[in-house]
Amino acid sequence: MLWLLLYQMSLLLSVCLSDFRLISVTLHLSRIAEKVIAHHWLYPAILTDNLVDRYAFKSTGSTTAALVYFTHQVTKMLEHNKYVICFMIDFPKAFDTVDHVILLSKLVQMKLPGFVINWICSFLSGRGQQCKVTGALSDSASIGLSIVQGCGIVPTLYLVLKSDLHTISELNDIFKYADDTTI
């Protein structure tokens, strides 16, 4: 009976471990450098029009602001329509699936100084990850498709990646909060 309980617990543990997200543990000086790059070069290079529909990862954004905007837009649309259809999209593991090549090509299009792009390229490449569970440390695995959460520059890089996501029709409205998008 004990072995069955241990087996069931191991199955539960393996399912739950896949839900955890990696958090980068970096030095304070590194985080400061990342934030300097983000605030002095990346934010000014992002077109203001591409930040209007964003409610996370910027100083004027919040969950409350997103909910107020959503409620206002739906109420305004209901004044002229019988119903409103909302598509609420949550990109699963969005930070874990960022393609570095696509991100870097968008950064190049922003006409950033070469040293900033080189620094970000260096920041994204050659990174590894390890997991520690109950004192046991896994082998190191290289990271090729993600921007690990917990770094100072990651939210800004995610803004750059998703900044060109827009509606096709002016009849539709879109707003974004982190990795969630509502149309």
Side-chain angles (χ1 to χ4, degrees):
M1 186 65 155
L2 180 61
W3 68 269
L4 181 59
L5 180 61
L6 289 174
Y7 175 72
Q8 289 175 339
M9 286 178 57
S10 71
L11 288 177
L12 179 63
L13 186 62
S14 67
V15 171
C16 294
L17 285 179
S18 67
D19 294 334
F20 288 110
R21 293 202 170 132
L22 299 171
I23 300 295
S24 179
V25 180
T26 55
L27 300 172
H28 293 292
L29 190 57
S30 176
R31 292 182 124 194
I32 291 169
E34 293 169 30
K35 289 182 180 185
V36 166
I37 294 285
H39 290 288
H40 287 291
W41 284 284
L42 289 178
Y43 274 119
I46 299 172
L47 297 174
T48 307
D49 294 346
N50 290 338
L51 291 175
V52 171
D53 58 6
R54 279 277 171 196
Y55 289 92
F57 309 140
K58 62 182 191 172
S59 59
T60 58
S62 69
T63 308
T64 303
L67 291 172
V68 167
Y69 180 80
F70 174 72
T71 305
H72 173 73
Q73 289 302 103
V74 168
T75 304
K76 190 169 79 173
M77 289 176 180
L78 286 172
E79 289 175 357
H80 304 286
N81 302 293
K82 290 184 180 185
Y83 58 89
V84 174
I85 297 173
C86 298
F87 293 102
M88 297 180 177
I89 306 163
D90 180 11
F91 294 102
K93 300 192 183 241
F95 288 88
D96 299 338
T97 58
V98 171
D99 187 311
H100 295 174
V101 174
I102 294 171
L103 176 60
L104 289 170
S105 70
K106 289 184 180 189
L107 290 169
V108 168
Q109 291 172 2
M110 293 171 62
K111 309 231 186 293
L112 292 166
F115 73 91
V116 172
I117 293 172
N118 288 339
W119 186 88
I120 293 171
C121 187
S122 174
F123 174 81
L124 293 173
S125 61
R127 295 183 71 93
Q129 66 186 20
Q130 285 183 306
C131 294
K132 185 176 184 179
V133 179
T134 63
L137 194 61
S138 70
D139 292 334
S140 180
S142 108
I143 300 173
L145 268 182
S146 71
I147 48 178
V148 180
Q149 293 182 61
C151 296
I153 198 169
V154 166
T156 312
L157 292 177
Y158 193 76
L159 276 176
V160 168
L161 186 72
K162 298 297 180 184
S163 64
D164 57 354
L165 178 62
H166 298 288
T167 60
I168 295 173
S169 168
E170 291 183 15
L171 297 174
N172 297 318
D173 192 25
I174 187 171
F175 76 96
K176 308 165 200 158
Y177 188 87
D179 62 347
D180 299 324
T181 300
T182 301
I183 301 172

